[in-house]
């Protein structure tokens, strides 16, 4: 998509997200730079992808900062912001969990409240990172956050 239409910022963001899911982070960075060059202002979608790229490259504080600029966060932004805060050890993880869990609960199509297992399954299905180390980090951070919230 990016090669066929390199002047569509939205298509470039979709391509960058795909590159991140398959672990091609340098290619994702290049595509994000191309998308940013086409847009004179930072959109929420661009900030989301930039934040995710920061997270995946281990720059958790930068990820949290970038994701916090988003005015209308998607459920994925709430997830990534919470995980970035947990990974960087900054404050606000509990508040981030509450925002994320509230969005999950309000969007859940079943009548019962989603369990920790339901949430973990949903996150891993809808964020299809192909690298095992990324999946392990994501699931460990989420599991730790859920356990801390259930203990408090």
């Amino acid at each position: 998509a990016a090669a066929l239409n390199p002047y569509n910022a939205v298509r470039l963001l979709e391509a960058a997200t795909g590159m991140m899911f398959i672990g091609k982070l340098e290619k994702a960075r290049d595509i994000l730079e191309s998308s940013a060059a086409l847009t004179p202002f930072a959109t929420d979608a661009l900030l989301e992808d930039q934040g995710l790229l920061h997270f995946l490259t281990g720059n958790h504080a930068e990820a949290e900062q970038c994701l916090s600029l988003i005015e209308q966060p998607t459920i994925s932004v709430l997830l990534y912001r919470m995980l970035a805060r947990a990974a960087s050890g900054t404050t606000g993880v509990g508040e981030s969990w509450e925002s994320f869990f509230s969005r999950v609960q309000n969007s859940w199509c079943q009548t019962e409240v989603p369990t920790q297992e339901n949430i973990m399954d949903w996150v891993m299905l809808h964020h299809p990172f192909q690298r095992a180390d990324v999946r392990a980090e994501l699931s460990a951070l989420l599991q730790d956050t859920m356990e801390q919230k259930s203990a408090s």
Side-chain angles (χ1 to χ4, degrees):
L4 293 174
N5 191 357
Y7 302 106
N8 184 319
V10 174
R11 290 299 154 275
L12 292 175
L13 291 177
E14 292 170 350
T17 302
M19 291 295 130
M20 286 186 270
F21 284 147
I22 63 173
K24 295 187 177 190
L25 302 183
E26 284 304 315
K27 182 68 174 168
R29 183 183 325 279
D30 293 344
I31 295 170
L32 285 176
E33 288 174 4
S34 295
S35 179
L38 294 173
T39 308
F41 49 87
T43 64
D44 284 354
L46 177 61
L47 290 169
E48 179 175 347
D49 279 354
Q50 288 173 331
L52 178 57
L53 183 61
H54 285 307
F55 179 82
L56 294 173
T57 57
N59 299 316
H60 301 118
E62 290 91 345
E64 194 275 325
Q65 181 181 19
C66 193
L67 295 166
S68 293
L69 296 172
I70 296 173
E71 294 183 22
Q72 296 180 10
T74 64
I75 197 167
S76 293
V77 169
L78 296 174
L79 171 68
Y80 300 148
R81 186 185 305 161
M82 176 186 68
L83 296 176
R85 285 181 174 168
S88 65
T90 60
T91 59
V93 176
E95 178 184 307
S96 291
W97 164 257
E98 294 301 329
S99 295
F100 172 69
F101 184 68
S102 176
R103 179 73 66 84
V104 169
Q105 202 170 10
N106 290 335
S107 302
W108 204 249
C109 58
Q110 298 170 1
T111 54
E112 66 273 352
V113 174
T115 65
Q116 288 184 9
E117 183 179 346
N118 294 145
I119 293 170
M120 182 66 75
D121 289 345
W122 177 85
V123 166
M124 300 314 282
L125 177 67
H126 289 278
H127 301 88
F129 297 104
Q130 301 301 299
R131 286 182 31 201
D133 61 324
V134 172
R135 292 181 69 76
E137 178 187 16
L138 189 89
S139 63
L141 285 169
L142 181 56
Q143 188 66 44
D144 289 348
T145 301
M146 290 189 296
E147 288 174 3
Q148 288 174 10
K149 282 311 293 175
S150 66
S152 61

